[in-house]
Amino acid sequence: MVLEQGGVKIALVALDLVSLPRDIVESARTMVQQRIALAPDHVMISATHAHTTPVILTDPSRYNLEGNDKQIAQLYTDSLAGKIADAIVQANANLQPVEIEGGRRQRDDAEL
């Protein structure tokens, strides 16, 4: 998601992954800065810590993958920063005016 208000633009990205290595985050931020001039400190990328997600290979890796499984995980890991950057660039290209409203209500004891 890309948001802009008063000339300030930010990007918020949430990924369903166990974790996300800092080098992938930094690489994605650099790509975004090069492609749409969005400052790296205006890009927040997070992982939900879900355990049914693609494998991200790190060094050392907690996964003992071999053969085709390792190749698939490596290809995904190597392409992830670019996929994140592509999503931000696409969201930026599709900015639309919106209004965000919030509300708050106090519960009474009968609702507890």
Side-chain angles (χ1 to χ4, degrees), residues 82-100:
K83 292 176 185 297
I84 294 167
D86 289 347
I88 294 170
V89 169
Q90 183 178 7
N92 183 67
N94 291 303
L95 285 174
Q96 305 258 337
V98 298
E99 284 187 36
I100 298 175

Side-chain angles (χ1 to χ4, degrees), residues 62-77:
R62 72 172 102 188
Y63 302 102
N64 187 19
L65 299 178
E66 296 178 358
N68 195 44
D69 289 340
K70 185 173 183 176
Q71 183 180 9
I72 290 168
Q74 190 65 60
L75 288 171
Y76 182 75
T77 301

Side-chain angles (χ1 to χ4, degrees), residues 26-46:
E26 297 301 332
S27 182
R29 286 175 172 162
T30 298
M31 289 178 196
V32 169
Q33 183 178 30
Q34 291 169 346
R35 292 173 64 185
I36 60 172
L38 183 57
D41 64 349
H42 286 129
V43 178
M44 184 178 118
I45 303 171
S46 65

